[in-house]
Amino acid sequence: MLAALAWRNIWRQPVRSILSLIGLAFSSLLLVFMLSFQLGIYDTMKVGALGLLDGYGQFQPVGYDDDPDISRLLPNWQALVEAAELDGINTATPRASSFAIMASGDTSFGAAIIGVDPVTEPKVSTLASTIIEGRYLAKGDEATIVMGEGLVRNLGLTLGDNVTMLGTGNDGAVAADVLELVGIFSTGISGLDRQITQMPLARFQDTFNLGDNINVIALRGGDFSAVLQAAPALAHMAETEGAVYLRWDELQPEVKQMITLDLSTAMLSYGVMIIVVVFILLNTLYMSVLERTREFGGLMAVGMRPTQIGTMVWLELIFLSLLGAGIGIALGAGVTLWVENVGIQFPGMDEVFRQWGISGRVYPDLSLLSAVAGPGVIVISIIILGLIPYRRILGLEPVTAMGAA
Amino acid sequence: MQHKGNEMTAIVSCKGITKVFGKGELAVHALRGIDLDIMEGDFATLAGPSGSGKTTLLNMIGALDHPTEGEVTVDGQSLSGLSKSALSDLRLQKVGFIFQAYNLVPVLSARENVEFVLRLAKVSVAERRSRADAALAEVGLQGMETRRPSALSGGQQQRVAIARALVGRPRIVLADEPTANLDSKTTGELVDLMYRLNQDSGITFLMGTHDPRVMAHSKRHIEMEDGQIISDTRS
């Protein structure tokens, strides 16, 4: 009975109720879209920043993250590659790396040299897709190398030139090789393009006297959440083999920090917006309670308990907020899904985005969390704060209420 | 003056009722030691000038307000010390109200307004429907069950209010200026209706009124002045 009465009461003042609904729906729509958009950017950042080179997770020797020395070898790595074939993990690719002097003629520069498996590496890293000249490493390659465009420019190289590499092997002896430049990549991140080179893993192991050993295994999955869910199992595997497993946020802590900072700032804005919406709606309802005080007195006179009247008004508030939030979620989800298909271009932001591995177009990511979190907070706040008019009604005396203007 | 109706049962009994609004120099004595019994089957009017205490006394009897001193008993139950919920239940079960401003729920139809008190009393759907329709027929509103108050005239709204007051089968119906907003023709019809209900069904009425047409029908006339009963006569 109270629910039916509450529902009808909402429509006694249709203009007022519709205005309240529009306000609620619009703020819910904004919250759904903005949160989805924000989470979408974070996902793009994570995929872009980690997908380029690191992968979504890595098996590493103990202490390698702090001191990435070639002599820190990953024990029993073939077993880890096999064991990593869990749900959610698409590919595991072995790597070995060191620092070396790259020389061409009279010019030399220091760079990181990474030995990679040409077949599995492109399934984990998007570096191969940033080749702007030549080709990426291929199966059967031996003395070949791919370099970033910055380093190529600094060394004055052109495609097909030979590069002399001089480093220190695992045994402390000189590791030297002459490699043919077969590809030039451009990631858009100048630091990477000046310092990163890749060569076939087998040749790297020979040159640096690694034998069959490697330093890390980089992993990639269909999506982040799947790899994140597999993290405890992967960590257990690594521990069993005397190694460690690093999650994405341990590989790229600066991305995690950036997301945390941005989210904190955004939460503040969302919080202010929610507070404003909630108080506007509560003010409207409180006014309505004051206007109806005389009517409440009449209801008390015919035997309705103050708790029943209070519940009826509270239900009005709950229905209104649920309806408004529901409409807002539906509209917000619709808008977000549409933008998910077309994306949003931010002219002039390409350079900034590239630093985070984001291409020019950004896409929101609608999820249950982004759809429900914002409107849910509004509804819950309204339900809790709706106890204020409820308490006022409990304090009403029939005679005073009936005498109200 | 006080009527002693030993031959009948007292539905309402007021003993030494005093009501003071405000404090100190601003205190207003609305009721001054009222002793009154309303007997079963009474069709009584409470008359007197404005500020004489009619509405205040009706509010005390209807458990809408508490006396400063004294005790009100309705159907043998003392109202002193009852909680808000208990007073609500007592009003629901034992008292029917008719107000000058009708006090109908605007979002409910005539039938739903009448049914409302039965829903509060948790009467079954089938029973409350038949009782509500019967009550509306009794007050001459057959065929208007689905109309909302805004689609009814003042007299029709007051008839709905009477039906609502009666449908719960209360021990007493209290009416505060029930005809003040109505024209003379409608007033005559409504007074006739209430009188018929009293005569035919034995329903007890106590009406606060200035209206001579209402007073003309009353079987018992109580006159108030300055918070006291100055006369209580039966015709």
Side-chain angles (χ1 to χ4, degrees), chain A residues 104 133 152 155-163 180-182 184:
Chain A
S104 171
E133 209 175 327
V152 169
L155 289 169
L157 295 171
T158 55
L159 215 58
D161 285 352
N162 284 333
V163 185
E180 181 194 348
L181 179 65
V182 296
I184 301 168

Side-chain angles (χ1 to χ4, degrees), chain B residues 23-174:
Chain B
K23 285 180 181 174
E25 290 181 359
L26 298 174
V28 175
H29 287 74
L31 296 177
R32 300 167 187 264
I34 299 283
D35 290 322
L36 175 70
D37 285 342
I38 301 297
M39 314 311 292
E40 190 165 16
D42 267 352
F43 191 76
T45 50
L46 201 54
S50 289
S52 60
K54 303 187 296 292
T55 299
T56 307
L57 182 57
L58 284 172
N59 288 340
M60 300 294 152
I61 294 170
L64 293 172
D65 204 356
H66 310 278
T68 309
E69 282 176 26
E71 186 181 31
V72 179
T73 305
V74 176
D75 197 27
Q77 185 174 7
S78 169
L79 306 189
S80 305
L82 290 183
S83 68
K84 278 189 172 184
S85 295
L87 289 171
S88 294
D89 291 348
L90 182 131
R91 288 193 294 269
L92 180 63
Q93 289 155 10
K94 298 188 174 176
V95 184
F97 283 97
I98 302 168
F99 300 98
Q100 178 182 341
Y102 325 131
N103 284 4
L104 299 176
V105 183
V107 294
L108 299 181
S109 67
R111 176 189 285 137
E112 288 167 335
N113 262 291
V114 177
E115 274 189 274
F116 186 68
V117 289
L118 298 178
R119 291 182 82 154
L120 290 173
K122 298 186 175 16
V123 174
S124 70
V125 179
E127 188 184 342
R128 67 175 184 244
R129 169 63 67 94
S130 67
R131 279 170 65 179
D133 284 353
L136 284 168
E138 184 80 36
V139 298
L141 288 179
Q142 210 159 20
M144 296 187 185
E145 294 88 348
T146 56
R147 289 197 194 174
R148 287 200 177 179
S150 56
L152 296 170
S153 68
Q156 288 167 332
Q157 287 187 58
Q158 197 60 299
R159 284 171 187 263
V160 176
I162 293 170
R164 181 181 66 180
L166 296 175
V167 76
R169 294 168 186 160
R171 299 292 285 136
I172 184 168
V173 174
L174 302 174

Side-chain angles (χ1 to χ4, degrees), chain A residues 52 58 73 93 109 173 197 234 237 257 262 266 276 281 306 322 330 364 371 397:
Chain A
L52 186 62
Q58 282 188 7
L73 302 173
T93 188
F109 281 90
T197 65
L234 294 167
M237 275 178 219
Q257 286 162 6
D262 188 64
V276 169
L281 197 75
L322 282 176
E397 293 292 340

Side-chain angles (χ1 to χ4, degrees), chain A residues 33 212 276 331 336:
Chain A
F33 180 76
D212 194 28
V276 169
L331 293 175
T336 307

Side-chain angles (χ1 to χ4, degrees), chain A residues 87-100:
Chain A
D87 283 347
I89 307 296
N90 289 354
T91 312
T93 188
R95 292 175 186 166
S97 63
S98 185
F99 290 94

